[in-house]
Amino acid sequence: MTETASNITLPHRRLKLDTLVRLRWLAVGGQSAALLVVHVGLGYPLPIGTAFAMVALSAWLNIFLKVRAPSAMRLSERAATLQLAYDILQMSGLLFLTGGLGNPFAFLLMAPVMVSATGLSAWQTVILGVLATACATVLAVFHLPLPWPVGDNFSLPVVYSVGIWIALVSTLGFMAIYAFRVAEEARQMADALAATELVLAREQHLNALDGLATAAAHELGTPLATIYLVAKELTDEFESGDARGEDVALIRSQAERCRGILRQLTSLSSDEDLTYQRMPVSQLLEDVIDPHRGTGVAIHSLHDGKGAEPIGTRNAAIRYGLANLVENAVDFAKSRVDVSATWDETTLSVSIKDDGPGFSVDILGKIGDPYVSIRGGRPPQHGTGGGLGLGIFIAKTLLERTGAKLALENRAPPQSGALIRVSWPRDVYERDAGVDETPFSPHKSSN
């Protein structure tokens, strides 16, 4: 499960080239309209030739990108950062020509940083934020006069200019952080759902093997029956002690063994095979914890309760969900993990305890969501889905779909470690198991 989650590629984290090109065309149109209104409509003097040259540079850049690369291309973070940095510098150049921070459009310096916050990593957003702040600082001191009617000279007081700079930088920081957090939570949720879909898809492929096994058994049944019949007839053709007779007897015995294996494969998809379709809780716990034995952490299993032991179907969601929780406990445990099942007439409960550092208090309320998951201030010994808390999220999602409720907490002092309780109403857990009065005894298969 962890391996599945950690190997997911995430192309949706990259910005599409077409997105930046379209936004830049929008900026080109807006800048051109503003320059025409100020210079032609209002008659305010400004270096219109230089200003339109800077707008034309953005237009030519868009044309170049459209010709050289397909619109659906997703940019690397470095390439996207360079393009957004150009947009900041181009806007800063226009503001320099048109009054600096006194220009009402000065807040458009934030636009490229907002785009980065929603589509790029935090580090790239910080770089662009620092660039925008540096440009705003330069524009607060160095700029051409604000376009104004001929004969009038409009200049802002120094205190007001400083206030605009503070407001611009403060808004830039707040909006960037806010946009980044909202976008990051959406990305994490998408990543976690993608991991869940991969796990369920893999389980569907495993279930499809039952049908393939039945088909193989059907196709191989006839030739094996022929081999068995011929070997049986040849047995009577050789005298006792003849080595050839022993070989024929061996062929006959192996053919009979193959027929038995095929009968077993055929029964895997049959509803009459209760051994395959049903599983007691004790066997479920053994299947979940067995892969983690011999990892250096002692795993103890206990099951006890009032009344008959609950028997459920071989539900992949329950097995994968509990396996994820046990794996998480083994990753953080110092030396011991306890997995126990208790039941009564109405409820089945599975508890998983470890002696590790426990859940960090500041994220205890967020556990189960796809957030960064660090317990006790240290990373796990093994990967946990790239640090997104995908293991717990997938386990919670799968188990809740089966009607379970999860409770996650830290063990009460002086004990240390985490405690996870998974509980089902007993009738819900056994609903699809076809439980009857016939005693069930698990069948142990040999490797």
Side-chain angles (χ1 to χ4, degrees):
M1 178 71 63
T2 298
E3 181 181 356
T4 301
S6 61
N7 288 340
I8 297 176
T9 58
L10 303 172
H12 61 274
R13 285 181 175 270
R14 297 182 176 184
L15 287 173
K16 289 177 62 176
L17 174 62
D18 191 58
T19 300
L20 295 183
V21 169
R22 288 175 181 270
L23 291 175
R24 193 171 295 114
W25 278 127
L26 181 62
V28 167
Q31 292 166 1
S32 300
L35 291 173
L36 289 174
V37 168
V38 172
H39 185 68
V40 178
L42 299 179
Y44 292 176
L46 56 83
I48 192 67
T50 306
F52 266 112
M54 300 188 69
V55 175
L57 181 61
S58 291
W60 280 111
L61 175 61
N62 271 356
I63 295 173
F64 174 79
L65 292 174
K66 291 289 286 184
V67 171
R68 290 295 301 272
S71 299
M73 174 184 176
R74 292 190 178 270
L75 301 171
S76 65
E77 286 207 336
R78 182 175 180 272
T81 302
L82 289 175
Q83 289 201 40
L84 292 173
Y86 162 80
D87 293 331
I88 293 176
L89 294 175
Q90 189 261 1
M91 187 64 194
S92 299
L94 287 177
L95 291 174
F96 172 80
L97 298 174
T98 57
L101 295 188
N103 191 316
F105 293 100
F107 281 88
L108 288 177
L109 278 174
M110 295 190 303
V113 183
M114 295 301 101
V115 174
S116 174
T118 57
L120 300 180
S121 65
W123 176 242
Q124 305 299 328
T125 302
V126 169
I127 293 175
L128 292 174
V130 171
L131 177 61
T133 301
C135 290
T137 303
V138 173
L139 290 173
V141 181
F142 304 102
H143 58 82
L144 296 182
L146 183 70
W148 211 249
V150 179
D152 295 334
N153 184 18
F154 180 82
S155 60
L156 294 173
V158 176
V159 174
Y160 187 78
S161 298
V162 173
I164 292 179
W165 182 88
I166 294 175
L168 178 62
V169 174
S170 300
T171 305
L172 176 66
F174 173 79
M175 293 298 293
I177 294 173
Y178 178 81
F180 178 79
R181 285 307 310 159
V182 172
E184 184 66 13
E185 290 177 10
R187 287 192 291 263
Q188 290 174 350
M189 182 66 70
D191 295 345
L193 292 177
T196 303
E197 290 175 357
L198 285 179
V199 170
L200 293 179
R202 186 175 68 176
E203 184 59 27
Q204 289 176 353
H205 286 302
L206 293 177
N207 290 338
L209 292 178
D210 293 345
L212 293 176
T214 303
H218 176 74
E219 294 295 330
L220 294 175
T222 300
L224 275 176
T226 302
I227 294 173
Y228 178 80
L229 180 61
V230 172
K232 182 178 180 181
E233 293 177 352
L234 288 176
T235 302
D236 300 332
E237 299 293 331
F238 300 101
E239 298 180 358
S240 177
D242 192 324
R244 292 175 295 176
E246 295 178 359
D247 292 339
V248 171
L250 177 61
I251 294 174
R252 177 182 174 183
S253 65
Q254 293 302 307
E256 177 62 28
R257 180 184 177 188
C258 289
R259 293 176 66 187
I261 293 174
L262 291 182
R263 282 195 298 270
Q264 184 179 4
L265 290 176
T266 305
S267 68
L268 290 181
S269 298
S270 173
D271 293 336
E272 298 177 358
D273 187 0
L274 297 181
T275 300
Y276 179 74
Q277 295 295 334
R278 295 165 54 188
M279 173 186 286
V281 173
S282 58
Q283 185 178 348
L284 171 64
L285 296 187
E286 286 301 317
D287 285 356
V288 167
I289 67 178
D290 185 65
H292 303 287
R293 298 189 188 278
T295 59
V297 175
I299 304 180
H300 300 270
S301 175
L302 176 66
H303 41 87
D304 190 19
K306 299 179 181 178
E309 181 177 357
I311 300 173
T313 56
R314 290 179 177 265
N315 192 316
I318 294 177
R319 187 168 69 253
Y320 271 79
L322 292 178
N324 258 324
L325 298 178
V326 171
E327 180 181 9
N328 186 74
V330 171
D331 283 340
F332 286 94
K334 295 178 180 177
S335 59
R336 179 186 178 104
V337 172
D338 294 315
V339 182
S340 60
T342 58
W343 61 84
D344 55 28
E345 297 299 326
T346 61
T347 305
L348 167 65
S349 178
V350 175
S351 298
I352 302 172
K353 298 183 290 185
D354 63 71
D355 60 352
F359 295 112
S360 178
V361 177
D362 57 340
I363 66 166
L364 191 57
K366 299 179 181 178
I367 296 175
D369 293 333
Y371 293 92
V372 175
S373 178
I374 298 296
R375 269 213 278 165
R378 69 180 180 90
Q381 298 170 4
H382 312 291
T384 55
L388 294 177
L390 294 183
I392 296 293
F393 174 84
I394 293 173
K396 184 173 182 291
T397 301
L398 294 179
L399 291 173
E400 286 181 348
R401 286 183 179 179
T402 68
K405 293 184 178 179
L406 270 70
L408 301 95
E409 59 188 28
N410 288 322
R411 302 173 67 181
Q415 296 176 324
S416 65
L419 170 61
I420 302 177
R421 290 190 179 92
V422 185
S423 59
W424 292 266
R426 181 160 178 162
D427 59 337
V428 172
Y429 181 81
E430 295 181 327
R431 180 172 52 200
D432 300 323
V435 178
D436 52 27
E437 298 300 326
T438 304
F440 176 83
S441 58
H443 172 73
K444 295 183 179 179
S445 60
S446 59
N447 294 328

